[in-house]
């Protein structure tokens, strides 16, 4: 493993900013630390970098315990959200700064900077000052400076938070290409779920200093460990049900509840894509009125209102919506193809109690 945290905690004035966190980062992996503000993700990043010391637990980099090592001894490149470029230095001098501190030879510095300018698409900008660069260019200079001395680990704290949406999308794609080319173990902090899902190999989700789940984007989206993760990543229908006669029921809806006792309360979650809708009222199990349609580009988000007053959110393509002749106010039938019982945050259900289900396929349907 490139990086390991074992039972790491950090307290500030008696308040636990990070509480007993354990996870590892593989060599060459691109990992996101994701969560709401105050979740502890930046504190974790700073402890890896050596900018904060753990109150308890250990940090390892390539098998070596680094708790007592300085920032300089850890061989880490760190990029701050606000770039932290030196305003009185041009691009060349900004990138060269760390190399000069480490007393690289002048010829080696020039060679390394030429290599980085070419790699980062900054050719011809070496004599410009930060105020003469775009936001995206400044961020690339900051990352080039962090990578100049060939660190074993690159840490990025909200790397794209200071640029507009268009530049942020370009930088995401650029970071993925750069990572594939350099294969440097990289950890970046973000509160943007879409950014983490699009860029990272794996995601670590934090809430209130607690690690809620570690997994690939697909694992976290399809198999959320608990209700917090389910709600934080993407959109999910969450219903409070009660078990009666072996089924978890609410209003007209019922879900399998194998092995659960009557009277037990269960939180059932299902993604909008798991809801299938038809204009044929006899096709699916449930009926509802299509109350609202929201245009999202390629997809549409629709809200269904059941006779009991329950609201269910679904997604479908524009083509499917048009083909079925759907419109607000129309009655439809629907089924829920997949769902799962959601544990409360910090208390994920073990795998053997996962109550996900697959609805029976329609005749002739490919599954």
């Amino acid at each position: 493993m490139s990086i390991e945290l074992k039972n790491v905690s950090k307290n500030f004035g008696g308040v636990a900013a990070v509480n007993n966190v354990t996870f590892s980062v593989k060599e060459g992996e691109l990992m996101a630390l994701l969560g709401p503000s105050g979740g502890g993700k930046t504190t974790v990043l700073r402890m890896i970098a050596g900018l904060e010391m753990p109150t308890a637990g250990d940090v390892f980099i390539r098998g070596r315990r680094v708790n007592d090592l300085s920032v300089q001894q850890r061989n880490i490149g760190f990029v701050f959200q606000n770039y932290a470029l030196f305003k009185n230095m041009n691009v060349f001098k900004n990138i060269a700064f760390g190399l000069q501190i480490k007393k690289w030879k002048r010829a080696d510095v020039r060679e390394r900077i030429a290599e980085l300018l070419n790699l980062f698409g900054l050719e011809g900008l070496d004599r410009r000052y930060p105020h003469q660069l775009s936001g995206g260019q400044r961020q690339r200079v900051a990352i080039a400076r962090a990578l100049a001395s060939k660190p074993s680990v690159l840490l990025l704290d909200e790397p794209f938070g200071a640029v507009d949406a268009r530049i942020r999308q370009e930088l995401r794609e650029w970071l993925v290409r750069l990572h594939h080319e350099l294969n440097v173990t990289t950890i970046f902090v973000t509160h943007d779920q879409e950014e983490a899902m699009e860029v990272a190999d794996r995601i670590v989700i934090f809430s209130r200093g607690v690690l809620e789940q570690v997994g690939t984007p697909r694992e976290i989206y399809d198999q959320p460990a608990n209700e917090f993760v389910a709600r934080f990543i993407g959109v999910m229908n969450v219903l409070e049900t009660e078990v009666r006669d072996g089924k978890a029921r609410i209003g007209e809806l019922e879900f399998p509840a194998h092995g659960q006792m009557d009277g037990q309360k269960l939180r059932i979650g299902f993604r909008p894509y798991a809801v299938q809708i038809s204009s044929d009222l006899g096709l699916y199990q449930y009926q509802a009125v299509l109350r609202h349609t929201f245009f999202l580009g390629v997809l549409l988000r629709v809200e269904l209102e059941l006779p009991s007053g329950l609201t269910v959110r679904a997604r479908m393509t524009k083509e499917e919506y048009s083909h079925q002749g759907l419109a607000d106010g129309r009655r439809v039938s629907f089924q829920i193809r997949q769902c799962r019982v959601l544990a409360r945050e910090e208390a994920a259900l073990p795998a053997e109690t996962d109550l996900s289900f697959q609805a029976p396929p329609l005749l002739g349907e490919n599954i």
Side-chain angles (χ1 to χ4, degrees), residues 182-313:
L182 298 180
N183 201 37
V184 176
T185 303
T186 303
I187 305 176
F188 71 98
V189 162
T190 182
H191 64 272
D192 186 323
Q193 299 95 321
E194 181 180 311
E195 184 169 281
M197 297 284 282
E198 182 178 341
V199 173
D201 298 321
R202 286 193 301 152
I203 301 172
V204 185
I205 298 184
F206 291 93
S207 172
R208 299 198 299 261
V210 174
L211 191 159
E212 300 288 355
Q213 187 171 359
V214 181
T216 66
R218 172 165 288 187
E219 288 169 346
I220 286 175
Y221 188 83
D222 289 339
Q223 303 168 42
N226 53 47
E227 185 175 344
F228 171 81
V229 175
R231 289 183 179 275
F232 192 73
I233 297 291
V235 177
M236 177 165 276
N237 295 281
V238 179
L239 302 175
E240 180 87 40
T241 66
E242 182 175 343
V243 178
R244 299 195 308 272
D245 302 323
K247 299 283 188 180
R249 304 174 189 271
I250 179 171
E252 302 89 337
L253 302 180
E254 59 179 35
F255 307 89
H258 311 299
Q260 306 298 314
M261 297 179 59
D262 277 11
Q264 183 175 351
K265 304 287 187 183
L266 294 179
R267 304 279 281 184
I268 299 291
F270 52 94
R271 298 288 186 189
Y273 71 77
V275 181
Q276 288 186 304
I277 299 172
S278 175
S279 56
D280 182 348
L281 295 180
L283 183 60
Y284 293 135
Q285 181 178 3
Y286 304 112
Q287 291 192 6
V289 174
L290 198 162
R291 285 300 183 201
H292 300 287
T293 304
F294 301 90
F295 179 74
L296 303 176
V298 176
L299 295 176
L300 301 175
R301 177 166 63 88
V302 299
E303 291 185 354
L304 305 177
E305 183 179 318
L306 280 67
S308 64
L310 281 175
T311 297
V312 169
R313 291 170 292 181

Side-chain angles (χ1 to χ4, degrees), residues 18 41 78 97 122 134 156 159 175 277 286 288 336 353-354:
V18 176
K41 53 193 185 297
F78 198 105
F97 182 79
L122 297 169
S134 69
L156 308 170
L175 178 62
I277 299 172
Y286 304 112
I336 301 167
T353 61
D354 178 8

Side-chain angles (χ1 to χ4, degrees), residues 43-56:
T43 301
V44 168
L45 198 76
R46 291 174 64 85
M47 285 191 286
I48 295 171
L51 299 172
E52 299 285 354
M53 297 299 110
T55 304

